[in-house]
Amino acid sequence: MFRSPSRPAPLKRLLSAALLAVGVVSGAAALADDNYPQRPITLVVPHPPGGSVDGVARLYAEQLGKELGQSIVVENRAGASGMIGAAYVARAAPDGYTLYLNASIHAINPLLYKKTIKFDSVKDFTPISELAQGALIFSVYPKVPAENVGDLVKLLKAEPQKYSFATSGFGSAGHLAAASFLHDNGLDQIPIVLYRGGGPALSDLVGGQVQGLIDPMLSSLPMVRAGKLKALAVTGAARSPLLPDLATMKEQGQKNFEFYSWYGVWGPAKLPEPVLRKLEAASAKVMANSRIVDQLNGLGFEPSVKNSAAFARFIDAEMKRYQVIIDQANIHITE
């Protein structure tokens, strides 16, 4: 039987060409990922310059640039408790050239702004690495007649109408710590006054307009050292080498009280695996650098490196813990 020579059908030819094109594009993309980075990287900080998040970001950015061989440009996009900068990064291309550094407030905001938040703090981001953490310092106006936490609790219970606490940001680690302290000691009637940043909060605390504040050491410690504030406790599991004579909250009878402000770096969702691994490894090297460690320690922080998977699990656990505190202390915002 005679058979004519077989010829590829037009559809088969089109499919073959398409698959070849996909292979070429995929290969080029993989090569680009392997060669990452090939241009400067923007590190978005969703808070103003001069605060604790900005301080950690600038230390990290300088050394990360050396590790990757590219400049890292820190860009402050402040506003709405960090949500403006976060929303910007969530919409950015997942190519590794827009990164995001924030504190624990990134995991707290979605629990407080459930109706108005414009992004998903988990699904819209790729966790790269936790970088550092630091215990908070509990300080009061110097004329408050209390020398320790026990004295303060007695004072607040005796005359609650005379006292108020400040917070440097709604939903910050310091805000949740203050709310937890007041709730645990039956002092929910003590108001917590919201300030837009650590500067205004500290200014009013030094002036006596408010009487207590729990905040990162970076902002409060200089005031304590200058005698403008009285430190009552630190919130970590152990005493701080910066204030070795200052007892922890646990040492002073606050049995379950342990709070840290932690800092991490993220990219947009669907960050390519080779880019993620390169940033993950570079971040670990940055935070092991002795110069960075010394500088962080001087600001009241310690390196606390977790890889992408461990950081994601940590964020999930922290969000569950924060939700309990928010519910117990009835922290809410009118949206």
Side-chain angles (χ1 to χ4, degrees), residues 11-24:
L11 179 58
K12 288 184 178 180
R13 286 200 300 269
L14 289 173
L15 286 173
S16 297
L19 288 171
L20 178 61
V22 169
V24 170

Side-chain angles (χ1 to χ4, degrees), residues 255-314:
K255 294 181 180 180
N256 299 315
F257 200 96
E258 188 175 328
F259 268 89
Y260 300 90
S261 184
W262 51 262
Y263 304 82
V265 62
W266 291 258
K270 299 180 181 179
L271 202 62
E273 189 77 11
V275 173
L276 171 60
R277 296 305 162 216
K278 188 168 284 189
L279 287 168
E280 189 182 58
S283 296
K285 289 182 180 179
V286 167
M287 303 316 292
N289 182 283
S290 58
R291 178 172 166 269
I292 295 293
V293 173
D294 289 344
Q295 288 179 305
L296 282 172
N297 290 164
L299 298 174
F301 303 117
E302 295 180 355
S304 178
V305 177
K306 293 180 178 68
N307 65 22
S308 179
F311 189 29
R313 292 192 297 270
F314 174 75

Side-chain angles (χ1 to χ4, degrees), residues 5-195:
S6 61
R7 296 179 181 178
L11 179 58
K12 288 184 178 180
R13 286 200 300 269
L14 289 173
L15 286 173
S16 297
L19 288 171
L20 178 61
V22 169
V24 170
V25 172
S26 298
L31 182 62
D33 291 345
D34 288 341
N35 291 335
Y36 168 86
Q38 301 178 58
R39 54 186 169 87
I41 296 167
T42 298
L43 179 64
V44 174
V45 176
H47 303 286
S52 61
V53 180
D54 185 69
V56 172
R58 291 182 187 277
L59 290 178
Y60 171 73
E62 180 183 0
Q63 196 62 35
L64 181 67
K66 294 178 182 178
E67 288 291 337
L68 295 177
Q70 282 287 351
S71 59
I72 312 294
V73 180
V74 176
E75 184 176 304
N76 296 91
R77 287 181 171 264
S81 294
M83 291 188 287
I84 289 177
Y88 173 81
V89 175
R91 296 191 299 267
D95 54 12
Y97 291 99
T98 303
L99 305 179
Y100 165 75
L101 192 148
N102 203 359
S104 39
I105 196 169
H106 179 72
I108 298 170
N109 278 335
L111 308 177
L112 295 171
Y113 298 91
K114 294 179 180 179
K115 295 181 181 178
T116 58
I117 195 165
K118 302 299 183 183
F119 56 86
D120 187 308
S121 65
V122 176
K123 293 180 180 178
D124 291 341
F125 295 84
T126 300
I128 296 168
S129 176
E130 185 188 5
L131 302 176
Q133 67 174 17
L136 310 174
I137 184 169
F138 190 169
S139 56
V140 296
Y141 176 54
K143 293 184 180 179
V144 171
E147 300 304 318
N148 55 55
V149 175
D151 288 348
L152 182 65
V153 170
K154 292 176 183 177
L155 199 64
L156 296 176
K157 286 186 174 181
E159 298 180 293
Q161 71 281 0
K162 287 187 176 183
Y163 299 95
S164 61
F165 276 61
T167 177
S168 60
F170 186 82
S172 65
H175 181 195
L176 265 59
S180 183
F181 165 74
L182 294 172
H183 175 77
D184 290 349
N185 289 282
L187 295 164
D188 295 288
Q189 71 272 37
I190 304 290
I192 298 177
V193 182
L194 172 64
Y195 287 85

